């Protein structure tokens, strides 16, 4: 589509580092509030500078220059930025927030900026290690200790401004150890600084037009940065200048509100799609987000209020009725979205509806019903859930079979997450090697995968990947789960502990005899049989074998 059809001018430019960062420092280039917050990890910061020094492309930036005034962030990275001056044109960052925040908060960092052992401080102090570096090709480092870094650590805040660079060169000469060649290190630092200062950044500047025009252009531009997600796209396109919270703000608030209950962080994408479903939309998976935004613009604030209330009901149902203790264990985002849709239309379900929803959850989880679900399937599910909320019909898919017992423990598998939810309910009163009660959900909340420790660690043993080779069992430092199990004293005590974890006595005898594979096979058979018995209570059957733990996190 031609640019004039948008009533917006598209101007590609090539800019040097200081030409990009200067307007940020003057308040003339700003990050609109509908952008997602800074989410890069510390290693991504280092990799960005490594790419710049090597001359690799880091992707183009997309700015929108307009006379409109949008609510914008008052910090870039962790540094404050001034308000724009009156009557001056302002540009807004549509694509490149993460990269710009990294560049601005590190290269423009004041000398007196806070340093500490906290990641929120040290992550903004990257260094280029000068001289020979043996451990890996990337010479960029973070210094996490409280004391100053070695003299040959060039702080990136010193590379743009000559005064700061000279100050570093003097400090290097003063603090250099006898084995350091100061002249060679200084020359290397000059080369690094010159490469960063002279690095050319591709910028696409959109001039005039509306916010909808600008975001429409963005949606059609290929970018090597992290693309704007649908939730952010709709948030931008429905942005109001009246001071109301943006859709992105509301989604973040709902995520935080649920997390504060102890349930953990739920998927903001699932909430976003629930908001769309609450507005009456059926196509919540994909489509022309600009068209959708126009349809739902006037409904979003009310829909966000309604979604917030329905979401709370959905979480209570999952936690108290189904027995899902943590958000990270929900097998599919679609389940949370659909339950929120149901509770919007029916906040007080009757007993039949509650039983049906519980059956629906387990059947869809075990059968992989939403694995790779397409747009048509999700549309149909939303429509069925709305009808069911009116106490009409059912929602549980019929003529489906459960996936077999998973062959490996992988938290990215919905089948494994369903197994964990069942297993936490099947063995609620667990004991450690001293007979103390274990709170498995608390341990799981601290670290999902690491909570389930291997019993047998043996490379090359295929069965070692099985969930039957995992336990939630804290042990003494440098003590394995296996040795803890083998050292349990007294037959009655040992039986009590083993039963609390679903370890049959005949399996334990094989472990004591050194038959590791047979131990896993016996415990796996027992767990699978007990899980199938639970499945049968919902009218679901499964094969008795073992199958792949498909990775299906959608």
């Amino acid at each position: 589509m031609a640019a004039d059809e948008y009533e917006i001018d598209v101007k590609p430019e090539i800019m040097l580092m200081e030409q990009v960062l200067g307007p940020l420092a003057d308040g003339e280039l700003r990050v609109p509030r509908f952008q997602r917050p800074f989410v890069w990890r510390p290693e991504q910061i280092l990799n960005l500078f490594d790419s710049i020094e090597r001359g690799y492309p880091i992707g183009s930036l997309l700015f929108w220059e307009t006379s409109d005034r949008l609510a914008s962030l008052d910090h870039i990275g962790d540094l404050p930025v001034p308000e724009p001056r009156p009557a001056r044109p302002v540009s807004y960052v549509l694509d490149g927030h993460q990269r710009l925040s990294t560049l601005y908060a590190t290269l423009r960092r004041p000398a007196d900026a806070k340093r500490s052992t906290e990641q929120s401080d040290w992550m903004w102090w990257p260094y280029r290690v000068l001289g020979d570096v043996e451990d890996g090709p990337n010479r960029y480092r973070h210094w996490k200790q409280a004391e100053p870094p070695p003299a040959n650590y060039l702080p990136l805040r010193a590379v743009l401004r000559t005064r700061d660079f000279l100050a570093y060169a003097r400090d290097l000469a003063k603090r250099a150890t006898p084995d350091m060649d100061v002249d060679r290190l200084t020359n290397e630092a000059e080369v690094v600084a010159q490469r960063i200062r002279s690095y050319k950044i591709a910028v696409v500047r959109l001039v005039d037009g509306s916010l909808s025009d600008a975001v429409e252009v963005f949606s059609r531009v290929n970018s090597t940065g992290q693309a704007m997600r649908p939730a952010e796209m709709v948030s931008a396109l429905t942005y109001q200048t009246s001071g109301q919270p943006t859709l992105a703000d509301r989604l973040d608030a709902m995520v935080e509100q649920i997390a504060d209950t102890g349930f953990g962080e739920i998927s903001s994408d699932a909430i976003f799609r629930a908001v769309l479903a609450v507005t009456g939309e059926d196509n919540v998976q994909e489509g022309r987000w600009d068209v959708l935004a126009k349809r739902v613009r006037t409904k979003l604030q009310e829909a966000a209020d309604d979604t917030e209330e329905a979401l709370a009901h959905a979480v209570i149902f999952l936690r108290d009725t189904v027995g899902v203790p943590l958000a990270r264990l929900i097998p599919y985002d679609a389940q949370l979205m659909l339950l929120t849709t149901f509770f919007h239309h029916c906040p007080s379900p009757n007993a039949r509806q509650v039983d049906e929803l519980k059956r629906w959850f387990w059947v869809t989880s075990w059968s992989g019903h939403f694995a790779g679900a397409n747009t048509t399937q999700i549309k149909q599910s939303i429509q069925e859930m709305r009808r069911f909320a009116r106490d009409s019909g059912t929602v549980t898919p019929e003529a489906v079979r459960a996936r077999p017992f998973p062959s490996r423990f992988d938290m990215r598998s919905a089948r494994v997450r369903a197994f964990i939810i069942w297993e936490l309910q099947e063995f609620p009163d667990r004991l450690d090697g001293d007979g103390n009660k274990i709170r498995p959900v608390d341990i799981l909340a601290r670290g999902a995968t690491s909570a389930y420790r291997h019993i047998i660690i043996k490379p090359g043993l295929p069965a070692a990947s099985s969930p039957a080779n995992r336990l939630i069992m804290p042990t003494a430092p440098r003590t394995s789960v296996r040795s803890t199990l083998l050292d349990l004293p007294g037959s009655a005590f040992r039986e009590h502990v083993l039963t609390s974890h679903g370890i049959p006595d005949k399996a334990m005898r094989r472990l004591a005899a050194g038959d590791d594979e047979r131990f896993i096979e016996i415990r796996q058979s027992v767990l699978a049989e007990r899980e199938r018995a639970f499945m049968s209570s919902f009218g679901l059957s499964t094969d008795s074998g073992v199958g792949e733990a498909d990775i299906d996190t959608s």
Side-chain angles (χ1 to χ4, degrees):
M1 185 176 287
D4 58 359
E5 291 183 62
Y6 292 110
E7 297 181 356
I8 192 169
D9 289 333
V10 181
K11 297 181 178 180
E13 303 175 18
I14 297 296
M15 306 178 83
L16 298 177
M17 190 69 70
E18 190 57 34
Q19 291 175 312
V20 173
L21 300 187
L24 283 171
D26 294 336
E28 295 176 3
L29 177 61
R30 309 188 66 80
V31 177
R33 284 184 59 234
F34 57 70
Q35 288 274 20
R36 62 180 160 187
F38 186 83
V39 296
W40 266 19
R41 302 182 303 277
E43 59 267 25
Q44 289 176 285
I45 293 176
L46 302 181
N47 290 338
L48 179 70
F49 284 105
D50 185 63
S51 295
I52 289 173
E53 182 181 339
R54 295 172 187 271
Y56 296 165
I58 62 170
S60 62
L61 307 176
L62 184 65
F63 303 156
W64 176 43
E65 184 177 314
T66 177
S67 58
D68 292 346
R69 284 294 187 261
L70 305 184
S72 54
L73 303 180
D74 56 6
H75 281 71
I76 303 296
D78 71 332
L79 297 185
V81 291
E83 288 294 320
R85 286 174 286 183
R88 295 277 295 181
V90 175
S91 295
Y92 295 93
V93 179
L94 294 185
D95 189 23
H97 176 206
Q98 308 297 313
R99 286 164 286 163
L100 280 174
S101 293
T102 295
L103 295 172
Y104 182 75
T106 57
L107 297 177
R108 283 278 190 151
R109 195 154 203 78
D112 60 354
K114 186 178 179 182
R115 301 170 186 252
S116 77
T117 57
E118 296 293 324
Q119 178 176 312
S120 58
D121 293 326
W122 60 250
M123 69 180 291
W124 300 112
W125 283 91
Y127 295 85
R128 168 56 157 80
V129 183
L130 305 174
D132 297 329
V133 180
E134 298 179 357
D135 54 339
N138 192 337
R139 295 187 174 192
Y140 288 86
R141 300 281 188 276
H142 283 111
W143 184 254
K144 304 176 184 179
Q145 285 85 357
E147 65 273 12
N152 66 321
Y153 273 51
L154 168 66
L156 292 188
R157 64 161 304 277
V159 303
L160 287 188
R161 290 161 291 204
T162 302
R163 181 179 58 187
D164 293 330
F165 185 84
L166 292 176
Y168 168 73
R170 289 192 296 270
D171 186 66
L172 170 62
K174 182 169 59 178
R175 297 177 55 228
T177 58
D179 61 323
M180 292 182 181
D181 185 335
V182 173
D183 289 340
R184 185 168 70 88
L185 295 180
T186 303
N187 289 336
E188 183 180 348
E190 289 176 346
V191 171
V192 172
Q194 179 59 26
R195 288 180 178 174
I196 293 176
R197 286 196 296 263
S198 63
Y199 185 81
K200 296 178 179 178
I201 301 174
V203 174
V204 178
R205 186 182 301 277
L206 309 177
V207 182
D208 296 328
S210 67
L211 176 59
S212 297
D213 295 333
V215 176
E216 171 67 10
V217 173
F218 167 78
S219 69
R220 299 187 181 204
V221 172
N222 290 325
S223 170
T224 57
Q226 295 190 21
M228 189 182 286
R229 296 177 302 171
E232 295 165 327
M233 189 88 66
V234 173
S235 181
L237 291 168
T238 56
Y239 175 78
Q240 304 288 335
T241 58
S242 60
Q244 288 183 314
T246 66
L247 175 59
D249 291 335
R250 297 298 305 273
L251 296 179
D252 289 342
M254 283 186 252
V255 170
E256 185 175 346
Q257 184 177 9
I258 297 301
D260 287 345
T261 67
F263 192 62
E265 189 168 304
I266 56 180
S267 164
S268 61
D269 284 341
I271 305 176
F272 163 65
R273 289 177 165 81
V275 171
L276 296 183
V278 167
T279 66
E281 291 294 320
D282 292 337
N283 187 359
V284 302
Q285 290 291 94
E286 58 184 36
R288 286 287 303 276
W289 300 112
D290 56 327
V291 175
L292 184 146
K294 290 177 182 177
R295 288 204 304 266
V296 304
R297 185 190 304 272
T298 60
K299 309 175 189 176
L300 275 180
Q301 290 301 327
E302 182 180 356
D305 292 339
D306 293 341
T307 301
E308 184 175 335
E309 183 177 350
L311 178 64
H313 286 294
V315 168
I316 291 171
F317 170 79
L318 285 168
R319 187 183 58 210
D320 298 347
T321 301
V322 178
V324 181
L326 298 170
R328 66 179 64 178
L329 295 179
I330 300 173
Y332 296 105
D333 283 355
Q335 292 170 315
L336 180 61
M337 180 272 291
L338 289 166
L339 284 172
T340 303
T341 302
F342 171 85
F343 281 104
H344 165 62
H345 294 284
C346 183
S348 300
N350 58 40
R352 185 191 80 84
Q353 289 172 310
V354 169
D355 289 344
E356 174 67 7
L357 283 180
K358 185 175 180 180
R359 179 170 179 259
W360 167 85
F361 174 86
W362 282 113
V363 170
T364 56
S365 298
W366 281 317
S367 66
H369 182 70
F370 293 109
N374 58 35
T375 302
T376 300
Q377 184 179 348
I378 294 298
K379 280 184 179 179
Q380 182 179 344
S381 296
I382 291 174
Q383 293 165 359
E384 290 175 348
M385 196 60 80
R386 289 183 184 134
R387 286 194 296 269
F388 179 65
R390 298 193 295 268
D391 204 15
S392 175
T394 63
V395 286
T396 305
E398 302 296 339
V400 296
R401 296 179 67 82
R403 290 174 169 179
F405 192 88
S407 60
R408 69 182 188 279
F409 186 91
D410 191 326
M411 288 287 290
R412 296 171 298 172
S413 166
R415 178 64 178 85
V416 170
R417 293 195 293 277
F419 164 79
I420 291 173
I421 297 168
W422 165 80
E423 190 249 14
L424 290 172
Q425 297 178 43
E426 186 75 3
F427 307 104
D429 302 314
R430 307 184 198 203
L431 305 174
D432 65 13
D434 296 322
N436 300 312
K437 288 186 177 181
I438 299 171
R439 293 181 58 85
V441 173
D442 293 344
I443 299 171
L444 192 61
R446 294 195 293 269
T449 302
S450 60
Y452 280 90
R453 300 172 60 192
H454 284 91
I455 302 170
I456 297 161
I457 303 175
K458 182 177 290 186
L461 180 65
S465 300
S466 171
N469 189 34
R470 299 270 192 155
L471 281 188
I472 294 182
M473 177 178 275
T475 63
R478 296 181 296 280
T479 303
S480 68
V481 174
R482 176 181 184 146
S483 62
T484 299
L485 294 176
L486 291 174
D487 292 342
L488 291 172
S491 58
F493 177 79
R494 180 171 60 250
E495 181 181 0
H496 196 32
V497 173
L498 296 178
T499 300
S500 74
H501 291 277
I503 301 176
D505 183 62
K506 60 180 179 179
M508 195 62 205
R509 289 198 299 269
R510 299 321 307 159
L511 185 66
D515 190 350
D516 296 338
E517 187 167 9
R518 186 61 182 148
F519 164 81
I520 296 172
E521 288 176 354
I522 294 173
R523 184 169 187 250
Q524 179 175 277
S525 176
V526 170
L527 291 175
E529 183 178 352
R530 293 177 70 156
E531 190 189 33
R532 284 195 299 272
F534 186 72
M535 290 179 185
S536 67
S537 68
F538 295 97
L540 192 64
S541 60
T542 183
D543 298 327
S544 59
V546 175
E548 276 294 307
D550 295 333
I551 307 303
D552 47 4
T553 56
S554 60

